[in-house]
PDB file of all heavy atoms in Angstrom:
ATOM      1  N   ALA A   1      -2.641 -34.398 -16.103  1.00  0.00           N
ATOM      2  CA  ALA A   1      -3.332 -33.367 -15.220  1.00  0.00           C
ATOM      3  C   ALA A   1      -2.176 -32.621 -14.535  1.00  0.00           C
ATOM      4  O   ALA A   1      -1.155 -33.124 -14.277  1.00  0.00           O
ATOM      5  CB  ALA A   1      -4.220 -34.153 -14.141  1.00  0.00           C
ATOM      6  N   ILE A   2      -2.559 -31.353 -14.291  1.00  0.00           N
ATOM      7  CA  ILE A   2      -1.621 -30.476 -13.599  1.00  0.00           C
ATOM      8  C   ILE A   2      -2.521 -29.801 -12.493  1.00  0.00           C
ATOM      9  O   ILE A   2      -3.543 -29.236 -12.778  1.00  0.00           O
ATOM     10  CB  ILE A   2      -0.971 -29.438 -14.529  1.00  0.00           C
ATOM     11  CG1 ILE A   2      -0.226 -30.109 -15.520  1.00  0.00           C
ATOM     12  CG2 ILE A   2      -0.165 -28.365 -13.607  1.00  0.00           C
ATOM     13  CD1 ILE A   2       0.395 -29.062 -16.665  1.00  0.00           C
ATOM     14  N   VAL A   3      -1.921 -29.860 -11.290  1.00  0.00           N
ATOM     15  CA  VAL A   3      -2.460 -29.190 -10.140  1.00  0.00           C
ATOM     16  C   VAL A   3      -1.621 -28.186  -9.532  1.00  0.00           C
ATOM     17  O   VAL A   3      -0.416 -28.602  -9.189  1.00  0.00           O
ATOM     18  CB  VAL A   3      -3.025 -30.234  -8.960  1.00  0.00           C
ATOM     19  CG1 VAL A   3      -3.654 -29.598  -7.860  1.00  0.00           C
ATOM     20  CG2 VAL A   3      -3.910 -31.247  -9.618  1.00  0.00           C
ATOM     21  N   THR A   4      -2.063 -27.004  -9.309  1.00  0.00           N
ATOM     22  CA  THR A   4      -1.197 -25.830  -8.818  1.00  0.00           C
ATOM     23  C   THR A   4      -1.967 -25.223  -7.738  1.00  0.00           C
ATOM     24  O   THR A   4      -3.128 -25.069  -7.734  1.00  0.00           O
ATOM     25  CB  THR A   4      -0.808 -24.796  -9.803  1.00  0.00           C
ATOM     26  OG1 THR A   4      -1.965 -24.280 -10.421  1.00  0.00           O
ATOM     27  CG2 THR A   4       0.089 -25.456 -10.948  1.00  0.00           C
ATOM     28  N   ALA A   5      -1.318 -24.892  -6.685  1.00  0.00           N
ATOM     29  CA  ALA A   5      -1.865 -24.276  -5.551  1.00  0.00           C
ATOM     30  C   ALA A   5      -0.796 -23.419  -4.791  1.00  0.00           C
ATOM     31  O   ALA A   5       0.375 -23.695  -4.823  1.00  0.00           O
ATOM     32  CB  ALA A   5      -2.598 -25.196  -4.547  1.00  0.00           C
ATOM     33  N   GLY A   6      -1.329 -22.384  -4.167  1.00  0.00           N
ATOM     34  CA  GLY A   6      -0.330 -21.548  -3.284  1.00  0.00           C
ATOM     35  C   GLY A   6      -1.006 -20.576  -2.466  1.00  0.00           C
ATOM     36  O   GLY A   6      -2.135 -20.109  -2.762  1.00  0.00           O
ATOM     37  N   THR A   7      -0.478 -20.094  -1.503  1.00  0.00           N
ATOM     38  CA  THR A   7      -1.042 -18.987  -0.706  1.00  0.00           C
ATOM     39  C   THR A   7      -0.670 -17.706  -1.351  1.00  0.00           C
ATOM     40  O   THR A   7       0.137 -17.558  -2.277  1.00  0.00           O
ATOM     41  CB  THR A   7      -0.297 -18.998   0.828  1.00  0.00           C
ATOM     42  OG1 THR A   7       1.180 -19.059   0.599  1.00  0.00           O
ATOM     43  CG2 THR A   7      -0.724 -20.118   1.560  1.00  0.00           C
ATOM     44  N   GLY A   8      -1.424 -16.669  -1.028  1.00  0.00           N
ATOM     45  CA  GLY A   8      -1.291 -15.361  -1.618  1.00  0.00           C
ATOM     46  C   GLY A   8       0.030 -14.683  -1.335  1.00  0.00           C
ATOM     47  O   GLY A   8       0.736 -15.026  -0.331  1.00  0.00           O
ATOM     48  N   GLN A   9       0.276 -13.519  -1.944  1.00  0.00           N
ATOM     49  CA  GLN A   9       1.371 -12.719  -1.779  1.00  0.00           C
ATOM     50  C   GLN A   9       1.103 -11.802  -0.601  1.00  0.00           C
ATOM     51  O   GLN A   9      -0.113 -11.305  -0.421  1.00  0.00           O
ATOM     52  CB  GLN A   9       1.616 -11.902  -3.001  1.00  0.00           C
ATOM     53  CG  GLN A   9       2.205 -12.607  -4.219  1.00  0.00           C
ATOM     54  CD  GLN A   9       2.342 -11.703  -5.356  1.00  0.00           C
ATOM     55  OE1 GLN A   9       1.572 -11.868  -6.408  1.00  0.00           O
ATOM     56  NE2 GLN A   9       3.313 -10.871  -5.438  1.00  0.00           N
ATOM     57  N   PRO A  10       2.063 -11.497   0.200  1.00  0.00           N
ATOM     58  CA  PRO A  10       1.856 -10.433   1.338  1.00  0.00           C
ATOM     59  C   PRO A  10       1.410  -9.004   0.682  1.00  0.00           C
ATOM     60  O   PRO A  10       1.816  -8.661  -0.272  1.00  0.00           O
ATOM     61  CB  PRO A  10       3.205 -10.413   1.869  1.00  0.00           C
ATOM     62  CG  PRO A  10       3.861 -11.607   1.659  1.00  0.00           C
ATOM     63  CD  PRO A  10       3.402 -12.039   0.157  1.00  0.00           C
ATOM     64  N   LEU A  11       0.552  -8.507   1.481  1.00  0.00           N
ATOM     65  CA  LEU A  11       0.060  -7.160   1.108  1.00  0.00           C
ATOM     66  C   LEU A  11       0.468  -6.194   2.142  1.00  0.00           C
ATOM     67  O   LEU A  11       0.383  -6.411   3.205  1.00  0.00           O
ATOM     68  CB  LEU A  11      -1.574  -7.127   1.053  1.00  0.00           C
ATOM     69  CG  LEU A  11      -2.157  -8.168   0.050  1.00  0.00           C
ATOM     70  CD1 LEU A  11      -3.717  -8.101   0.160  1.00  0.00           C
ATOM     71  CD2 LEU A  11      -1.813  -7.778  -1.429  1.00  0.00           C
ATOM     72  N   THR A  12       0.768  -4.897   1.698  1.00  0.00           N
ATOM     73  CA  THR A  12       1.028  -3.788   2.567  1.00  0.00           C
ATOM     74  C   THR A  12      -0.160  -2.721   2.270  1.00  0.00           C
ATOM     75  O   THR A  12      -0.431  -2.261   1.133  1.00  0.00           O
ATOM     76  CB  THR A  12       2.335  -3.154   2.302  1.00  0.00           C
ATOM     77  OG1 THR A  12       3.284  -4.137   2.444  1.00  0.00           O
ATOM     78  CG2 THR A  12       2.662  -2.026   3.263  1.00  0.00           C
ATOM     79  N   VAL A  13      -0.712  -2.208   3.394  1.00  0.00           N
ATOM     80  CA  VAL A  13      -1.818  -1.327   3.150  1.00  0.00           C
ATOM     81  C   VAL A  13      -1.239   0.108   3.386  1.00  0.00           C
ATOM     82  O   VAL A  13      -0.346   0.388   4.163  1.00  0.00           O
ATOM     83  CB  VAL A  13      -2.922  -1.550   4.325  1.00  0.00           C
ATOM     84  CG1 VAL A  13      -4.057  -0.512   4.179  1.00  0.00           C
ATOM     85  CG2 VAL A  13      -3.549  -2.975   4.012  1.00  0.00           C
ATOM     86  N   PHE A  14      -1.691   0.968   2.495  1.00  0.00           N
ATOM     87  CA  PHE A  14      -1.202   2.366   2.595  1.00  0.00           C
ATOM     88  C   PHE A  14      -2.347   3.345   2.814  1.00  0.00           C
ATOM     89  O   PHE A  14      -3.469   3.079   2.386  1.00  0.00           O
ATOM     90  CB  PHE A  14      -0.670   2.703   1.219  1.00  0.00           C
ATOM     91  CG  PHE A  14       0.676   1.912   0.975  1.00  0.00           C
ATOM     92  CD1 PHE A  14       0.636   0.759   0.006  1.00  0.00           C
ATOM     93  CD2 PHE A  14       1.942   2.066   1.587  1.00  0.00           C
ATOM     94  CE1 PHE A  14       1.679   0.017  -0.172  1.00  0.00           C
ATOM     95  CE2 PHE A  14       3.110   1.292   1.317  1.00  0.00           C
ATOM     96  CZ  PHE A  14       2.904   0.255   0.334  1.00  0.00           C
ATOM     97  N   ALA A  15      -2.063   4.505   3.433  1.00  0.00           N
ATOM     98  CA  ALA A  15      -3.119   5.486   3.711  1.00  0.00           C
ATOM     99  C   ALA A  15      -3.534   6.241   2.401  1.00  0.00           C
ATOM    100  O   ALA A  15      -4.723   6.541   2.302  1.00  0.00           O
ATOM    101  CB  ALA A  15      -2.588   6.531   4.760  1.00  0.00           C
ATOM    102  N   GLY A  16      -2.501   6.480   1.523  1.00  0.00           N
ATOM    103  CA  GLY A  16      -2.976   7.273   0.309  1.00  0.00           C
ATOM    104  C   GLY A  16      -2.921   8.743   0.446  1.00  0.00           C
ATOM    105  O   GLY A  16      -2.875   9.179   1.589  1.00  0.00           O
ATOM    106  N   GLY A  17      -3.353   9.436  -0.603  1.00  0.00           N
ATOM    107  CA  GLY A  17      -3.528  10.940  -0.485  1.00  0.00           C
ATOM    108  C   GLY A  17      -4.850  11.129   0.194  1.00  0.00           C
ATOM    109  O   GLY A  17      -5.892  10.569   0.072  1.00  0.00           O
ATOM    110  N   LEU A  18      -4.815  12.273   1.104  1.00  0.00           N
ATOM    111  CA  LEU A  18      -5.895  12.680   1.820  1.00  0.00           C
ATOM    112  C   LEU A  18      -6.103  14.188   1.528  1.00  0.00           C
ATOM    113  O   LEU A  18      -5.231  14.896   1.351  1.00  0.00           O
ATOM    114  CB  LEU A  18      -5.684  12.576   3.368  1.00  0.00           C
ATOM    115  CG  LEU A  18      -5.296  11.225   3.793  1.00  0.00           C
ATOM    116  CD1 LEU A  18      -5.131  11.297   5.315  1.00  0.00           C
ATOM    117  CD2 LEU A  18      -6.345  10.204   3.373  1.00  0.00           C
ATOM    118  N   PRO A  19      -7.362  14.603   1.197  1.00  0.00           N
ATOM    119  CA  PRO A  19      -7.695  16.000   0.986  1.00  0.00           C
ATOM    120  C   PRO A  19      -7.099  16.943   2.000  1.00  0.00           C
ATOM    121  O   PRO A  19      -7.558  16.714   3.219  1.00  0.00           O
ATOM    122  CB  PRO A  19      -9.212  15.986   0.821  1.00  0.00           C
ATOM    123  CG  PRO A  19      -9.747  14.800   1.574  1.00  0.00           C
ATOM    124  CD  PRO A  19      -8.559  13.704   1.446  1.00  0.00           C
ATOM    125  N   GLY A  20      -6.458  17.891   1.674  1.00  0.00           N
ATOM    126  CA  GLY A  20      -5.923  18.962   2.657  1.00  0.00           C
ATOM    127  C   GLY A  20      -4.591  18.651   3.237  1.00  0.00           C
ATOM    128  O   GLY A  20      -4.163  19.413   4.057  1.00  0.00           O
ATOM    129  N   PHE A  21      -4.046  17.471   2.981  1.00  0.00           N
ATOM    130  CA  PHE A  21      -2.840  17.097   3.574  1.00  0.00           C
ATOM    131  C   PHE A  21      -1.806  16.835   2.322  1.00  0.00           C
ATOM    132  O   PHE A  21      -1.619  15.691   1.945  1.00  0.00           O
ATOM    133  CB  PHE A  21      -2.888  15.837   4.413  1.00  0.00           C
ATOM    134  CG  PHE A  21      -3.887  15.887   5.595  1.00  0.00           C
ATOM    135  CD1 PHE A  21      -5.185  15.848   5.465  1.00  0.00           C
ATOM    136  CD2 PHE A  21      -3.325  16.213   6.772  1.00  0.00           C
ATOM    137  CE1 PHE A  21      -6.032  15.891   6.623  1.00  0.00           C
ATOM    138  CE2 PHE A  21      -4.126  16.254   7.896  1.00  0.00           C
ATOM    139  CZ  PHE A  21      -5.448  16.250   7.861  1.00  0.00           C
ATOM    140  N   THR A  22      -1.095  17.849   2.075  1.00  0.00           N
ATOM    141  CA  THR A  22      -0.185  17.749   0.965  1.00  0.00           C
ATOM    142  C   THR A  22       1.088  16.946   1.379  1.00  0.00           C
ATOM    143  O   THR A  22       1.744  16.277   0.454  1.00  0.00           O
ATOM    144  CB  THR A  22       0.372  19.145   0.504  1.00  0.00           C
ATOM    145  OG1 THR A  22       0.830  19.882   1.757  1.00  0.00           O
ATOM    146  CG2 THR A  22      -0.777  20.036  -0.102  1.00  0.00           C
ATOM    147  N   GLY A  23       1.383  16.812   2.668  1.00  0.00           N
ATOM    148  CA  GLY A  23       2.491  16.053   3.103  1.00  0.00           C
ATOM    149  C   GLY A  23       1.991  14.635   3.712  1.00  0.00           C
ATOM    150  O   GLY A  23       2.850  13.978   4.171  1.00  0.00           O
ATOM    151  N   GLY A  24       0.780  14.379   3.502  1.00  0.00           N
ATOM    152  CA  GLY A  24       0.276  13.121   3.973  1.00  0.00           C
ATOM    153  C   GLY A  24       0.103  13.230   5.474  1.00  0.00           C
ATOM    154  O   GLY A  24       0.371  14.110   6.136  1.00  0.00           O
ATOM    155  N   PRO A  25      -0.729  12.250   6.191  1.00  0.00           N
ATOM    156  CA  PRO A  25      -0.989  12.335   7.599  1.00  0.00           C
ATOM    157  C   PRO A  25       0.248  12.264   8.513  1.00  0.00           C
ATOM    158  O   PRO A  25       0.265  12.809   9.546  1.00  0.00           O
ATOM    159  CB  PRO A  25      -1.946  11.174   7.683  1.00  0.00           C
ATOM    160  CG  PRO A  25      -1.653  10.171   6.698  1.00  0.00           C
ATOM    161  CD  PRO A  25      -1.297  11.130   5.469  1.00  0.00           C
ATOM    162  N   SER A  26       1.268  11.582   7.967  1.00  0.00           N
ATOM    163  CA  SER A  26       2.504  11.516   8.651  1.00  0.00           C
ATOM    164  C   SER A  26       3.363  12.751   8.593  1.00  0.00           C
ATOM    165  O   SER A  26       4.398  12.758   9.354  1.00  0.00           O
ATOM    166  CB  SER A  26       3.352  10.220   8.396  1.00  0.00           C
ATOM    167  OG  SER A  26       2.450   9.084   8.763  1.00  0.00           O
ATOM    168  N   GLY A  27       3.166  13.433   7.438  1.00  0.00           N
ATOM    169  CA  GLY A  27       4.069  14.589   7.271  1.00  0.00           C
ATOM    170  C   GLY A  27       5.234  14.513   6.793  1.00  0.00           C
ATOM    171  O   GLY A  27       6.259  15.333   6.811  1.00  0.00           O
ATOM    172  N   THR A  28       5.523  13.370   6.171  1.00  0.00           N
ATOM    173  CA  THR A  28       6.839  12.897   5.633  1.00  0.00           C
ATOM    174  C   THR A  28       7.094  13.576   4.309  1.00  0.00           C
ATOM    175  O   THR A  28       8.182  13.623   3.877  1.00  0.00           O
ATOM    176  CB  THR A  28       7.198  11.466   5.544  1.00  0.00           C
ATOM    177  OG1 THR A  28       6.165  10.838   4.673  1.00  0.00           O
ATOM    178  CG2 THR A  28       7.090  10.905   6.902  1.00  0.00           C
ATOM    179  N   GLY A  29       6.108  14.091   3.545  1.00  0.00           N
ATOM    180  CA  GLY A  29       6.162  14.634   2.289  1.00  0.00           C
ATOM    181  C   GLY A  29       5.837  13.688   1.159  1.00  0.00           C
ATOM    182  O   GLY A  29       5.284  14.097   0.112  1.00  0.00           O
ATOM    183  N   PHE A  30       6.291  12.479   1.209  1.00  0.00           N
ATOM    184  CA  PHE A  30       5.898  11.544   0.185  1.00  0.00           C
ATOM    185  C   PHE A  30       4.687  10.681   0.660  1.00  0.00           C
ATOM    186  O   PHE A  30       4.809   9.920   1.556  1.00  0.00           O
ATOM    187  CB  PHE A  30       7.000  10.517  -0.101  1.00  0.00           C
ATOM    188  CG  PHE A  30       6.898   9.547  -1.174  1.00  0.00           C
ATOM    189  CD1 PHE A  30       6.618  10.004  -2.425  1.00  0.00           C
ATOM    190  CD2 PHE A  30       7.028   8.141  -1.052  1.00  0.00           C
ATOM    191  CE1 PHE A  30       6.302   9.075  -3.525  1.00  0.00           C
ATOM    192  CE2 PHE A  30       6.883   7.284  -2.016  1.00  0.00           C
ATOM    193  CZ  PHE A  30       6.447   7.691  -3.275  1.00  0.00           C
ATOM    194  N   THR A  31       3.510  10.941   0.105  1.00  0.00           N
ATOM    195  CA  THR A  31       2.306  10.381   0.566  1.00  0.00           C
ATOM    196  C   THR A  31       2.116   8.964   0.154  1.00  0.00           C
ATOM    197  O   THR A  31       1.321   8.164   0.745  1.00  0.00           O
ATOM    198  CB  THR A  31       1.176  11.217   0.057  1.00  0.00           C
ATOM    199  OG1 THR A  31       1.148  11.169  -1.416  1.00  0.00           O
ATOM    200  CG2 THR A  31       1.330  12.728   0.414  1.00  0.00           C
ATOM    201  N   ASP A  32       2.809   8.396  -0.892  1.00  0.00           N
ATOM    202  CA  ASP A  32       2.530   7.152  -1.513  1.00  0.00           C
ATOM    203  C   ASP A  32       2.675   5.946  -0.421  1.00  0.00           C
ATOM    204  O   ASP A  32       2.013   4.969  -0.272  1.00  0.00           O
ATOM    205  CB  ASP A  32       3.204   6.855  -2.745  1.00  0.00           C
ATOM    206  CG  ASP A  32       2.682   7.648  -3.855  1.00  0.00           C
ATOM    207  OD1 ASP A  32       1.829   8.388  -3.588  1.00  0.00           O
ATOM    208  OD2 ASP A  32       3.319   7.561  -5.025  1.00  0.00           O
ATOM    209  N   ASN A  33       3.800   6.083   0.473  1.00  0.00           N
ATOM    210  CA  ASN A  33       4.159   4.936   1.219  1.00  0.00           C
ATOM    211  C   ASN A  33       3.655   5.089   2.637  1.00  0.00           C
ATOM    212  O   ASN A  33       4.070   4.290   3.449  1.00  0.00           O
ATOM    213  CB  ASN A  33       5.727   4.827   1.294  1.00  0.00           C
ATOM    214  CG  ASN A  33       6.401   6.100   1.911  1.00  0.00           C
ATOM    215  OD1 ASN A  33       5.783   7.082   2.024  1.00  0.00           O
ATOM    216  ND2 ASN A  33       7.638   5.797   2.380  1.00  0.00           N
TER     217      ASN A  33
END
């Protein structure tokens, strides 16, 4: 028998692209992060 268990990986939530905001809501230019 093999038993494996573990907690999940940390997640980071991103705003993503928004309509009408080419630079993103923060205006940094790179919208992905």
